[in-house]
Amino acid sequence: LVAATDGVGTKLRIAIETGIHNTVGIDLVAMCVNDLIVQGAEPLFFLDYFATGKLAPEIARDVIAGIAEGCKQAGCALIGGETAEMPGMYAQDDYDLAGFSVGAADRDRLLPRTVQEGDILLGLGSNGVHSNGFSLVRRLISDNNLDLNAAAPFETEHETLGQALLAPTRIYAKRLTGALRAGKVNALAHITGGGLSENIPRVLSKGQEAQIDLSAWPLPPLFAWLDDLGGIGREEMLRTFNCGIGMVLIVPPKNVSLLKKSFEESGEEVFKLGHISTSVDEDAEPCVQYTGSQTIAA
């Protein structure tokens, strides 16, 4: 059995300010079940904790509907939860969320397995900012006096800035199950806080480096806009945001073509990001090395 717990963070403030509450429940499930799948575990069930100053039934209904949708996407059961009214702890219209999920895996399928030099990194596309980096996002919006209900100032399928920022975290669990059961993957990295730079090294050994070519995938316009708005710079962008990649698979070269075809047929965007190499210093801490530069997606 494998367990995970997480929240949605300050993205909730965007939901509260825009009055859009039906997507953050998906984020809540995603942040937990994506952390289960990277350990090789398939999600079994989920519980939520909803805390607020004064319960507004219509808001709670939308949030829980999102949680139910997230569980449907993840293929797990929503078996219960807790709702707490705490006046004095939260302002009347404020609320917070926490999620808890349990999954299962055969012991010989737990991840990560041994990552080898020459293994290939495949990236699965993200759905926007997901659920990390929102303290910075909100600071940029505040400093520039931007209206969340105004039209999004970049190319997007969403009408307003708020809607674009609230695009829910992608849930990769169902998409990855077949590959994990077949033993085709050596390691997975869920790209959350810390971005590519800090999440990939967690599944590497000392002396290993992930060599990533930034020209391998386009930078979504939302991230280019954030970079320009805040003058953030490449290193900090890659450490703070997912920059268009929500999940990274580390796979043997012989499995790349099969996995890429399978994921694309299931509707995923798949990018060959680079490969694993060995550092000159075998005791060096694992890291990510970048080459090339991203172009902005059309």
Side-chain angles (χ1 to χ4, degrees):
L1 294 178
V2 179
T5 182
D6 211 333
V8 182
T10 59
K11 186 175 187 176
L12 290 178
R13 179 54 56 188
I14 305 291
I16 292 167
E17 292 177 2
T18 59
I20 302 171
H21 304 284
N22 61 347
T23 59
V24 289
I26 300 174
D27 288 294
L28 185 65
V29 177
M31 294 301 288
C32 293
V33 300
N34 286 344
D35 282 350
L36 291 179
I37 202 73
V38 300
Q39 298 176 77
E42 298 178 27
L44 297 176
F45 57 83
F46 184 88
L47 298 96
D48 69 275
Y49 175 75
F50 181 103
T52 184
K54 180 175 176 57
L55 185 64
E58 65 281 2
I59 293 176
R61 181 180 62 245
D62 285 351
V63 170
I64 294 169
I67 293 171
E69 172 60 24
C71 289
K72 181 179 178 181
Q73 292 181 21
C76 67
L78 176 59
I79 65 170
E82 167 70 4
T83 301
E85 272 191 319
M86 293 190 285
M89 181 66 73
Y90 296 95
Q92 179 170 322
D93 295 329
D94 287 351
Y95 63 88
D96 198 7
L97 297 173
F100 313 87
S101 191
V102 171
D106 291 335
R107 290 187 185 277
D108 60 356
R109 290 180 181 168
L110 287 171
L111 295 180
R113 297 187 178 90
T114 302
V115 174
Q116 305 284 348
E117 181 177 11
D119 279 356
I120 303 299
L121 288 86
L122 294 179
L124 303 185
S126 69
N127 197 31
V129 184
H130 283 185
S131 297
N132 294 97
F134 273 90
S135 293
L136 175 55
V137 170
R138 291 174 48 248
R139 175 65 182 269
L140 294 177
I141 290 171
S142 175
D143 286 352
N144 290 278
N145 296 312
L146 298 176
D147 182 359
L148 291 169
N149 296 310
F154 45 84
E155 289 295 325
T156 176
E157 62 186 33
H158 303 281
E159 293 183 1
T160 68
L161 174 59
Q163 289 172 338
L165 293 173
L166 286 170
T169 306
R170 287 186 66 82
I171 293 176
Y172 299 97
K174 273 188 177 179
R175 308 283 197 190
L176 292 167
T177 297
L180 297 186
R181 288 178 178 175
K184 301 292 185 183
V185 178
N186 285 339
L188 293 169
H190 181 201
I191 308 306
T192 56
L196 294 162
S197 300
E198 295 182 7
N199 284 288
I200 295 175
R202 293 178 180 178
V203 297
L204 304 181
S205 301
K206 284 191 174 183
Q208 290 185 326
E209 298 176 346
Q211 302 289 338
I212 291 182
D213 179 3
L214 293 173
S215 67
W217 80 99
L219 182 68
L222 167 55
F223 294 105
W225 174 74
L226 287 170
D227 190 9
D228 289 341
L229 190 66
I232 298 171
R234 189 181 85 168
E235 287 189 14
E236 193 61 28
M237 285 292 295
L238 290 164
R239 186 178 293 111
T240 304
F241 300 110
N242 66 63
C243 293
I245 300 295
M247 182 73 70
V248 172
L249 298 79
I250 301 179
V251 304
K254 65 180 181 180
N255 296 336
V256 170
S257 296
L258 176 64
L259 289 175
K260 193 170 187 298
K261 180 181 178 182
S262 174
F263 287 127
E264 288 174 342
E265 288 177 347
S266 68
E268 292 288 341
E269 286 187 297
V270 188
F271 305 96
K272 186 176 178 181
L273 306 180
H275 64 278
I276 301 298
S277 66
T278 301
S279 171
V280 174
D281 180 3
E282 62 181 18
D283 293 321
E285 291 299 318
C287 65
V288 178
Q289 299 287 349
Y290 298 104
T291 58
S293 59
Q294 284 184 284
T295 57
I296 302 173

